[in-house]
Amino acid sequence: MWVRFPLEGQNKLFHLKIKIMSKYQRTLVIDSSFMARSIISTERAFVISYKGNAEVIAEHPETFGLVNPKLEIFKPSIIRVYKYVKQNIQKVPLTRENVYKRDNYECVYCGSNYVKSLTLDHVIPQSKGGENAWDNLVTACRTCNSEKADLTLEEYGKEIVEPKRPHYLMLMKQLTYIPKEWENFLFF
């Protein structure tokens, strides 16, 4: 969507175009075995499904902006192509940066997104046998990490979403928004 608004300068009226990005601009492509294969634009996904090369599995709650206001076409969220795509699945390496990306650069305990204060926290503390693994590492701010110290989640009194290994597409595409319906395909 493009928005125009006037700017005054040198006694003239200028128009500045700002592109407002919707969070519903991407579509997850899965193959016939329901494996995630790529992330493409919603426009391209619509064309692929319209031509009969894929079926729409899920739709975003947003429609395309069409000239005919009576015609509503919802943007596809997930499409399934009919062919199996043989491809080596790349494993996402367990690094500090990848854990931050998976957790959207936010503290899982308080939601703080001040990047300079982010640390890694072991859900099950290392002192109690916790390992360096995708399902045991989360992003935490310094304050929450020091409050939790070597407590378990039960002792700390907070609940968090269970951390999982992300799909390589999730990190490769630098997604800022992951629809709920994608999670079954992007987390292992």
Side-chain angles (χ1 to χ4, degrees):
M1 165 190 292
W2 288 91
V3 175
R4 291 178 184 255
F5 59 93
L7 288 176
E8 293 185 36
Q10 301 174 351
N11 297 328
K12 294 182 182 178
L13 194 60
F14 295 96
H15 289 281
L16 179 64
K17 288 169 120 178
I18 298 177
K19 188 164 186 179
I20 298 176
M21 293 297 292
S22 164
K23 61 183 179 181
Y24 304 116
Q25 294 295 315
R26 301 276 181 230
T27 300
L28 179 67
V29 178
I30 58 176
D31 67 12
S32 61
S33 66
F34 291 88
M35 289 294 296
R37 294 303 176 187
S38 67
I39 297 170
I40 60 176
S41 72
T42 53
E43 292 84 3
R44 183 164 179 236
F46 171 76
V47 170
I48 292 169
S49 62
Y50 183 76
K51 286 183 171 183
N53 296 324
E55 68 175 313
V56 177
I57 301 293
E59 294 176 330
H60 290 301
E62 182 175 277
T63 60
F64 289 107
L66 302 174
V67 175
N68 183 350
K70 293 180 182 177
L71 183 60
E72 281 191 339
I73 298 176
F74 285 90
K75 294 180 177 182
S77 176
I78 302 172
I79 63 170
R80 183 176 71 94
V81 294
Y82 298 120
K83 293 183 179 179
Y84 174 77
V85 180
K86 185 170 179 167
Q87 183 179 13
N88 290 334
I89 300 271
Q90 300 173 10
K91 287 190 177 180
V92 178
L94 179 63
T95 65
R96 177 180 299 273
E97 186 64 22
N98 285 344
V99 173
Y100 289 169
K101 285 179 188 176
R102 180 200 63 193
D103 294 341
N104 218 15
Y105 293 92
E106 292 179 350
C107 174
V108 297
Y109 302 113
C110 72
S112 169
N113 60 359
Y114 182 60
V115 176
K116 290 186 178 183
S117 76
L118 294 179
T119 63
L120 288 183
D121 180 51
H122 290 82
V123 177
I124 300 170
Q126 286 182 306
S127 63
K128 297 180 180 175
E131 299 177 356
N132 289 332
W134 279 109
D135 59 351
N136 194 44
L137 288 172
V138 294
T139 304
C141 67
R142 283 193 183 107
T143 305
C144 290
N145 201 350
S146 61
E147 281 177 6
K148 182 178 174 283
D150 66 345
L151 301 174
T152 63
L153 288 177
E154 294 80 29
E155 295 168 337
Y156 186 48
K158 300 233 178 167
E159 289 186 28
I160 61 168
V161 176
E162 182 183 339
K164 298 179 182 177
R165 174 191 295 270
H167 193 280
Y168 76 97
L169 288 174
M170 186 179 132
L171 299 181
M172 182 181 79
K173 290 291 185 171
Q174 299 290 313
L175 299 172
T176 56
Y177 173 73
I178 299 170
K180 195 83 173 146
E181 62 267 16
W182 290 20
E183 291 180 5
N184 290 335
F185 302 102
L186 294 181
F187 293 104
F188 298 116

